[in-house]
Amino acid sequence: MIQIAEVLPTEPAPLWRLAKQCGVTHVVGVFPVPFEEGMHRDQMPWSYSNLLRMKTAYENGGFQFTTIEARPPPTRAKLGLDGRDEEIDWACDLIRNMGALGIAVWCHEWMPVLNWTRTSTTTPGRGGALVTGYDHELMRNAPRTEYGEITEEQLWDNLKYYLDKVVPVAEEAGVLLAMHPDDPPLSPIRGLGRIMRSVENFQKLLELYDSPNNGICLCQGNFTLMTDELPQAIREFGERIYFVHFRDVDGTPEKFVETFHDEGKTDMVACMEAYREIGFDGVLRPDHVPTMEGDQNNSPGYSSVGRLYAIGYIRGIRDSVYRN
């Protein structure tokens, strides 16, 4: 059966207890300390000792810790700049340490310079909840970043270089690499090409280094903007899906808003049925929830109340789909 997880801080907090009270059994981890230039290897956020402390803290809190959704700095690797091999070595260190500690899945991504991007974090949603949104018209005249124009061809070449180095390490360590899609799945943004933005490009990713350790983070909010047949895409990717972000949106890649899990464009029940059909028994987590009444909007997309609502909704779907 698919497992419901939450991304939680590395120190015990009220959200730990709330998640546990909602029946969450698994945790998606983030690094316990920030990265700083000049750190000694043993001080890095992804060092063995730091990951070990994360693992024991989560497990002492009653969670199973199988997935990390944090990354060493990736910009030089993505852009093919001097120093990229050092960044790739850091990624390999993380993967080896994960393998040594039995942490099975690493969610990485290939969005150059800009990570997930929104033009609004205060769009009114249902009942006055605040949701995030993106409108590409508002970005068309945005200035280029310091890196200027980056083509999709460059990104594919640099991704191939990166995969050639990290996938063999993942194979040896027994770690599954789950590539997160571009958010939004649109190219270019501020002169920066983006390649993880279509079902076809994800198939190309799998073919670029054909390995059972090279796979997908099926972030539904992005994939539902790529295809009108999301359940079918889930079936087609099948065993190469290693991690799921269960969320929804309304609109198009050029203009969309996040939604509550029960009001977006996606047939969430059909998606859950597809995960059951392919035998996916890994981790999903709710993602990018509205900020609900009683919560501050200081972390848009990650309202505690919104997350608890999402967990309950997802548990209801899962229990219905998997009851037989």
Side-chain angles (χ1 to χ4, degrees), residues 41-210:
R41 184 173 183 175
D42 289 337
Q43 298 173 317
M44 294 291 191
W46 50 88
S47 69
Y48 181 89
S49 58
N50 274 325
L51 296 191
L52 175 60
R53 285 191 289 271
M54 286 171 61
K55 181 179 173 69
T56 56
Y58 287 139
E59 291 179 351
N60 288 339
F63 297 100
Q64 295 185 49
F65 177 34
T66 60
T67 306
I68 289 180
E69 194 170 349
R71 300 115 190 165
T75 296
R76 290 176 292 174
K78 292 174 184 175
L79 302 185
L81 302 176
D82 289 344
R84 68 174 172 175
D85 287 329
E86 180 181 37
E87 290 186 346
I88 293 173
D89 285 344
W90 291 340
C92 291
D93 283 346
L94 167 62
I95 293 166
R96 292 189 187 98
N97 292 333
M98 288 177 63
L101 290 166
I103 306 167
V105 178
W106 179 37
C107 178
H108 59 164
E109 48 80 17
W110 208 248
M111 290 176 268
V113 185
L114 307 173
N115 203 288
W116 70 289
T117 300
R118 296 292 184 269
T119 56
S120 172
T121 58
T122 56
T123 301
R126 186 173 71 195
L130 300 179
V131 301
T132 72
Y134 181 82
D135 184 347
H136 196 58
E137 280 300 317
L138 301 177
M139 295 292 287
R140 291 192 187 280
N141 295 324
R144 299 291 187 259
T145 71
E146 63 187 287
Y147 298 98
E149 302 279 340
I150 303 297
T151 68
E152 294 186 22
E153 183 178 8
Q154 288 174 287
L155 290 173
W156 281 115
D157 289 344
N158 296 334
L159 178 57
K160 178 68 165 62
Y161 183 89
Y162 165 83
L163 293 175
D164 284 346
K165 291 184 177 295
V166 301
V167 177
V169 175
E171 291 173 338
E172 184 176 350
V175 172
L176 302 175
L177 307 179
M179 180 66 76
H180 190 286
D182 296 336
D183 188 2
L186 195 64
S187 178
I189 295 178
R190 295 183 64 185
L192 302 169
R194 292 156 77 91
I195 56 176
M196 293 292 96
R197 58 180 178 81
S198 70
V199 171
E200 294 75 19
N201 282 9
F202 267 86
Q203 188 58 51
K204 182 175 178 178
L205 163 75
L206 300 182
E207 295 168 356
L208 202 60
Y209 199 112
D210 189 6

Side-chain angles (χ1 to χ4, degrees), residues 244-260:
V244 173
H245 283 180
F246 209 75
R247 68 180 179 93
D248 209 357
V249 299
D250 191 29
T252 67
E254 291 77 19
K255 188 174 184 178
F256 64 87
V257 293
E258 308 270 7
T259 68
F260 283 96

